[in-house]
Structure formats: C-alpha cells, structure tokens
Amino acid sequence: MDRATVAELGLRARFGRKEPVEGRRGIVVTSHPLAVRAGTDVLKEGGNACDAALAAAAAQLVVEPHMTAVTGGLSMLYHDAASATSSYLNGNVAAPLTRLAGFGGADLSTGRGVPVPGWWPAFRAAHARFGTGTRNRLLAPAVQLAHDGFPVHPYLFGELYAHRAELGAHPQAREAYLPGGSLVAPGDTLRQERLGRTLQRLRDEDLDYYLGDFARAFSSECVRGGGVITPDDFHAYEPGWYEPVRGSYRGVEVVASAPPDDGGAQLVDALHRLETCDVPSMGPATESADTLELLARVHNDVYYAPARTGEEPAPAGGPRHGRMPSPGTIHVTVVDERRNIASITHSHMASPWVNGLFAEGTQLSGGGSFFQRGMPEPGRRARVYLAPNLLLSAGRPVLASGSPSVSLVACLLQNLVHLVDFGLPIEEVVAMPRFGARPHEPEHGWLPGVTLEHGFPADVDTEFRRRWAASGGWLSDLGPWHSLTGNFEGVTLDAGSGLLRSCADPRRNGAAEAY
C-alpha cells in the first residue's frame, strides 16, 4: 500500500454506521480498514481465503495492538470448497508447564497472568495446511505498517489514553506510543519500529527466532513480572486441528468451533433450544419483548453452564481480588472466488497492556484471565468461548461469521436469529440494538446477567426490564452501540446468484470490501 492509501484508509477507521458491500469474487470484513485492504489485495492477487485472512490478521497486530498480539492466540474455522470439508485450528493460549498454585484475580496484572502464546504457531499451521502465498507476501502489509506507520484511530487512542500509566512505565512502550513524552494523538502517525523488526525476524527466521531469541526475551520479561514461563513452554506448545462441532437450525447446518474453544458448542446448544420455539411468529427482538427475553435467557443458560472442554481442567484455586481484564479480541471473515472460507478469531485475550510487560516490541498478553474460568492442566489450552461459525444449506455455505468480545456468543446468537428467522438484510441486523453478557468480576468470576444497549423501542425496553427485574436478574445499561456487545463480522452467500454481501458493525472502526 502506498502512503496515500494508508492515510486514506486509516482515516476511515471510525465508529458508527457503515455501508453494505457486495461482490461475486471475494470479500473481507474485519475491524480496521487497513487490515481489510491487506486481505483484499491478497485475494485480488490470486491468494485464497486463508492467505487473505492471515494477511489481515498480521496487519491487525500493528493497527489494533489494543486487541491482539503475537503473544496471544489465533483460532480458525476453514471451509475448503474443493473437498466440501471444514476444519478447526486451535492456536489459543495455554497454561504454563509450571503450575500456578492459588491463581486468582490479583495475578491478572502480573507475569503470573501471562499465558503461553499460540499466535505464531497457529499462523504457521494454517499457512502450511491451506495457504498458497509466501510468508513474505502475507506479512508484507504488517511489516510496512509497523515501520512506515498509520494514522491513530479513535478506538486505539481511547485505549492508549486509558492505559497511559502502564505504557509510560516501560521503555519499549514509550518509544512507540509516547515519543517525546506524550501520547501519539488521534490522526497522527504511529510507528512501531521494534515490532516491525520482530515481524521481519519471524518472516525470515521463523522458529529459529520464535523458539530462540523471542522465547528467551518473552520468558525473561514474564519472570521479571512474577511469572513462570520459560523457553521450554514455547518448545512444548503445538497448535491443534479439531473436527468442528455441528448442529442444525431451521433446516440449516451449523458448523462451529470445537472445544476447548467452546463458544461453538454454546451457539449450537442455544440454537437447538430456540428451534423448539416459534420465534418467527414472535417478531424480531427490536419489536418483541418476548423474543428479546427468550434470546437473553437461552444465551445465559448456555453461556454460564459449565465450560465444554476437550481438555480436563485443573482445580482453579480460590479467586483473589484484582482488576479483571475485559477480553480484547478481533475477528476476520473472508470468502474467496472459489468459495473457500476463513473465519479467524485472534486476540491477546485481555484488556490491552494490562500488566505493563513488553518484549520484542509487543506486550505480553494478560490472557490468563481465562484461567479463572477453569485452570487448565499444565501445558494445556485455556477454555475460551470463541465461536467462528458457518451455516450451510443443502451443503452449500450461506453465511460465515464470528465476533469478538465478552459478549461474542450473545452477539452471534442475536444476529443469526435475525438473519435466519426473519431474513433481514445484514446491514440492518448489525445496527440493531443488542443485549450482552455480564463482564467478568475478579472476586467472583463468571456470573449470570445481561448488559443492554439503548435503542430498543420504549415498550420493548420497558417490558424487558420489568420482567428481568422481577426474576431477580442482574442488568446494566451500556448506552447505544457498545463494543462489549460484540462486533458481528458476517458474510452472506447467495447460492443462486453467487452474490456475497457484508456490512461492518457500527460498534468498532471496521470495514468490509468486496469485488
């Protein structure tokens, strides 16, 4: 991308309503226009959905450092059109090989809350199985954006300002985010030279660097912060391929993430429960308190149930007081000309810069927040409710989607119901008000409740609140279009016309591009 394009796309990164896009060859949707362009450029050059999604995800390491990092995790649902098969890659964060005795909320802002990362091993595994482009090509936008810079967008600046104390306390953070002693301002250029060198070394040296200098620098910084990770943890980590979970809803097959990324199982379970109800006759949630209440209660039944997992957890230990990060996450959905589909969720699994620890130009993830959901056995994956998903009709994909945030399952459930049961256009669906999940609390962990956006008709809003309060339910207001209710990154596929459609969610700074 030339500098003019970077400047133009960077300034398009805004909150608020977006226009829908459509095309017949390929499409990319995610939470920053520069990452979207990185993906669509790869598609136009002949790359497939996996290539484009990985290029977009790598660019997001640079343009959305408040949401993802190479020290976090990456998971992908991939549909291969030629074989009509779907695979799920779990490259999520893992527990250290050394047990974290008595782990609790107070650990989340220290090195003890740093998990073993899986982002780069997962990137490599996805590229090896499904990618066609070179690693150099897929990382090129990320490297360029790190060295040349890009305009700081509103979401990023807000998080930089909120965490300026943590950033200001570390020299690697100061050199990027506070050059000259003050924060890079909205619209000004953010350059991350050290991160750019890290991406170049990953590109050129691969595991020699990742398991060598990178692992040693990461481990040293983690231990400095009170953690226990060593290079042995990096050597022991392996990304895993799983068979996705499957279900159905109104005659449509649902394919989604496999445990221990258990959001897919939650989504399938919730849709199965809803199938017994005549939701279409009740009306959309924006028109019916009955529908809104039903969706919220079904969501809470599955979301707050014991975590579904393919890996047995260890006892979590007693909770401790401390600040609980709200997971920061990104989702990318890509469909290519051959109708391969990549649905990637990647993240540092925590609030940004929560522990103030940095190595090789990037923060150390605080994703140990998910250990409070159930401590994994040493070296095993955290239980994370990611839910990349795919809907098929008569074996042909009709919808691919995913979402970030603590409310991602709620977000997906509401959007899928409004798309499937009511046939609403995607641009209308993403802009509808939503409920979300209750944020995690360090002293108690995951507790039932709902957060509620403004924007519902007064009669629906009033009746829902009355019923929820009468049942003793916890509820908190969010205001309109809040990022805690998720960010629907969906693509609809018309099997007859071949038309692809998407619309970026107003709750983040994203975009969609089609051609």
Side-chain angles (χ1 to χ4, degrees):
M1 283 180 272
D2 59 45
R3 291 179 184 272
T5 300
V6 170
E8 177 194 356
L9 293 175
L11 294 176
R12 286 188 199 172
R14 299 291 181 190
F15 293 108
R17 192 182 296 270
K18 280 81 173 179
E19 292 297 317
V21 300
E22 56 185 40
R24 286 183 165 80
R25 297 186 64 187
I27 196 165
V28 180
V29 59
T30 192
S31 47
H32 196 288
L34 284 167
V36 171
R37 181 60 57 86
T40 53
D41 282 350
V42 166
L43 288 182
K44 290 177 179 179
E45 293 171 15
N48 66 15
C50 179
D51 296 324
L54 291 177
Q60 287 171 311
L61 297 175
V62 179
V63 299
E64 296 184 86
H66 56 306
M67 286 291 158
T68 191
V70 74
T71 58
L74 182 151
S75 293
M76 178 181 75
L77 178 67
Y78 194 77
H79 180 77
D80 179 69
S83 62
T85 60
S86 299
S87 308
Y88 190 69
L89 171 65
N90 183 311
N92 228 317
V93 296
L97 295 172
T98 301
R99 287 189 182 273
L100 294 167
F103 186 87
D107 295 313
L108 300 179
S109 57
T110 76
R112 278 171 56 85
V114 174
V116 181
W119 201 101
W120 182 247
F123 182 99
R124 297 181 72 257
H127 181 244
R129 180 169 291 196
F130 294 115
T132 62
T134 66
R135 190 163 61 230
N136 180 67
R137 174 63 188 89
L138 303 188
L139 291 175
V143 171
Q144 176 196 346
L145 290 165
H147 286 300
D148 294 347
F150 64 94
V152 172
H153 49 288
Y155 202 165
L156 174 56
F157 180 77
E159 295 293 347
L160 290 171
Y161 185 82
H163 295 275
R164 61 196 183 280
E166 293 94 330
L167 294 169
H170 200 285
Q172 290 191 21
R174 291 196 300 272
E175 71 182 17
Y177 302 118
L178 292 95
S182 61
L183 289 173
V184 179
D188 285 356
T189 300
L190 172 63
R191 294 181 177 87
Q192 300 165 84
E193 296 283 353
R194 192 183 296 266
L195 176 58
R197 292 193 294 272
T198 291
L199 294 171
Q200 288 175 303
R201 292 193 68 183
L202 288 171
R203 177 195 68 194
D204 298 337
E205 302 171 47
D206 192 17
L207 292 182
D208 288 344
Y209 169 60
Y210 185 72
L211 299 178
D213 288 348
F214 185 88
R216 286 189 287 271
F218 179 106
S219 300
S220 176
E221 180 72 349
C222 179
V223 170
R224 185 183 74 84
V228 297
I229 292 175
T230 75
D232 288 343
D233 290 283
F234 282 73
H235 285 268
Y237 186 98
E238 292 288 343
W241 290 97
Y242 295 81
E243 179 66 23
V245 299
R246 296 176 186 271
S248 64
Y249 185 66
R250 315 286 187 205
V252 177
E253 183 181 9
V254 183
V255 182
S257 58
D261 284 352
D262 65 340
Q266 293 178 19
L267 185 62
V268 168
D269 188 357
L271 290 170
H272 283 171
R273 295 175 187 224
L274 288 174
E275 198 166 29
T276 66
C277 305
D278 188 8
V279 177
S281 72
M282 297 163 60
T286 50
E287 300 174 8
S288 167
D290 291 338
T291 301
L292 180 57
E293 182 184 17
L294 175 63
L295 291 173
R297 295 201 183 281
V298 166
H299 167 265
N300 283 10
D301 283 347
V302 301
Y303 184 77
Y304 296 105
R308 296 129 169 109
T309 179
E311 302 185 15
E312 287 302 313
R320 300 288 187 270
H321 290 274
R323 183 172 50 162
M324 170 66 84
S326 298
T329 309
I330 288 172
H331 190 85
V332 187
T333 302
V334 180
V335 182
D336 67 26
E337 189 169 9
R338 295 168 291 280
R339 296 306 183 257
N340 300 307
I341 298 170
S343 187
I344 285 180
T345 309
H346 64 116
S347 175
H348 50 57
M349 302 295 170
S351 294
W353 313 297
V354 66
N355 49 40
L357 302 174
F358 286 79
E360 301 295 271
T362 188
Q363 65 183 294
L364 268 61
S365 160
S369 56
F370 280 93
F371 296 164
Q372 284 200 306
R373 197 167 176 240
M375 178 63 72
E377 288 290 339
R380 307 300 289 273
R381 295 290 194 280
R383 295 169 167 179
V384 183
Y385 41 76
L386 306 187
N389 66 89
L390 175 65
L391 271 57
L392 303 101
S393 178
R396 301 180 70 175
V398 294
L399 174 66
S401 74
S403 173
S405 111
V406 66
S407 302
L408 72 88
V409 176
C411 171
L412 294 171
L413 182 63
Q414 292 167 88
N415 281 277
L416 294 185
V417 165
H418 287 129
L419 287 165
V420 173
D421 282 319
F422 302 103
L424 298 173
I426 195 165
E427 63 270 24
E428 182 177 336
V429 166
V430 297
M432 294 169 71
R434 299 176 193 148
F435 71 85
R438 181 176 181 173
H440 312 155
E441 298 175 6
E443 60 270 34
H444 302 299
W446 273 251
L447 292 176
V450 296
T451 51
L452 193 67
E453 291 183 336
H454 291 187
F456 289 94
D459 59 335
V460 173
D461 185 272
T462 299
E463 178 61 14
F464 175 78
R465 290 171 183 272
R466 184 193 67 77
R467 296 180 188 179
W468 202 261
S471 68
W474 183 97
L475 186 148
S476 179
D477 291 317
L478 290 177
W481 285 343
H482 198 291
S483 61
L484 280 179
T485 65
N487 200 68
F488 189 69
E489 265 96 22
V491 175
T492 60
L493 303 87
D494 189 300
S497 68
L499 190 66
L500 305 170
R501 295 191 82 248
S502 184
C503 185
D505 198 304
R507 292 160 182 81
R508 295 198 184 187
N509 298 171
E513 286 189 353
Y515 73 108

